[in-house]
């Protein structure tokens, strides 16, 4: 089936550790996104990429890093510099600006 | 002013009621418009696209008013299962690529 796969679904991180969230899509979409959502809040854009080997910071990029080496993959690393990383992380993709954006099922990150 | 603004919630309605959500956007060059539904602790899912001519999908009707820069969603004969957060989404193109802007969402509670 075509879609966006995020893994892991649940992740626990100790303070000071870096963790990487995986996002893979087989929709042949050019653009991919990472959003963060805190409880009861809206989506906030972390990073986005519109073509391979290029990406831009979103509204809350500090403490995060990404890569886009392949069209289908857009992993997000939550670094130790991110002071409050506990949140729901959503990866999304779209074909172009005229089309809807589609989401993976999300990854829950908890700092312990 | 936020780029995309939605009605503040929550909306509490009885089953069978008709409820309307509005959303305004600030970029007059915005190109495409969507409504998403997000259930608690789940990813947002596309509910419907919004076209200038208006469009209907069963109990749901979406409309776009480019002159006044707002979009609307009407839900008729509300069901308990309609309880969710409804997100307005606007895509805008530009020289640096396109942007997808999410509204903060409006929560709907449908009660028996």
């Amino acid at each position: 089936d075509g879609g966006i796969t995020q893994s892991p679904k649940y992740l626990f991180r100790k303070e000071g550790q870096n963790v990487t969230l995986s996002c893979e899509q087989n929709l042949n979409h050019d653009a991919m996104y990472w959003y963060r959502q805190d409880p009861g809040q809206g989506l906030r854009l972390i990073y986005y990429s519109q073509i391979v080997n290029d990406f831009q910071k979103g509204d809350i990029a500090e403490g995060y890093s990404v890569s886009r080496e392949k069209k289908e993959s857009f992993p997000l690393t939550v670094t130790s510099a991110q002071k409050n990383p506990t949140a729901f992380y959503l990866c999304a993709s779209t074909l172009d600006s005229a089309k809807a954006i589609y989401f993976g099922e999300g990854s829950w990150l908890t700092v312990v | 002013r936020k780029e995309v603004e939605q009605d503040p919630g929550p909306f509490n309605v009885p089953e069978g009621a008709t409820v309307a959500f509005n959303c305004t956007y600030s970029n007059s060059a915005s190109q495409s418009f969507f409504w998403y539904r997000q259930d608690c602790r789940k990813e947002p899912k596309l509910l419907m696209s919004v076209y200038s001519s208006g469009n209907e999908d069963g109990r749901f009707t979406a409309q776009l008013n480019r002159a006044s820069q707002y979009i609307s969603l009407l839900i008729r004969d509300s069901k308990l299962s309609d309880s969710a957060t409804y997100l307005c989404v606007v895509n805008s193109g530009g020289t640096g690529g396109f942007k997808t802007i999410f509204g903060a969402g409006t929560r709907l509670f449908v009660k028996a």
Side-chain angles (χ1 to χ4, degrees), chain A residues 42, chain B residues 6-9 85-88 102-107:
Chain B
Q6 294 188 236
D7 284 350
T85 297
Y86 291 84
L87 304 169
C88 163
F102 282 80
T106 302
R107 288 199 76 177

Side-chain angles (χ1 to χ4, degrees), chain A residues 45-67:
Chain A
L45 182 64
I46 305 172
Y47 268 99
Y48 64 102
S49 167
Q50 296 187 336
I51 55 172
V52 176
N53 292 322
D54 188 45
F55 50 83
Q56 285 79 41
K57 293 181 179 180
D59 302 317
I60 56 164
E62 185 174 349
Y64 300 97
S65 66
V66 293
S67 63

Side-chain angles (χ1 to χ4, degrees), chain A residues 13 18-22 34 46-48 55-58 60-68 74-82 89:
Chain A
R13 188 195 95 169
N18 292 356
V19 293
T20 297
L21 306 180
S22 169
W34 275 104
I46 305 172
Y47 268 99
Y48 64 102
F55 50 83
Q56 285 79 41
K57 293 181 179 180
I60 56 164
E62 185 174 349
Y64 300 97
S65 66
V66 293
S67 63
R68 186 85 187 278
F74 192 41
L76 173 74
T77 296
V78 184
T79 75
S80 56
Q82 171 48 239
Y89 290 87

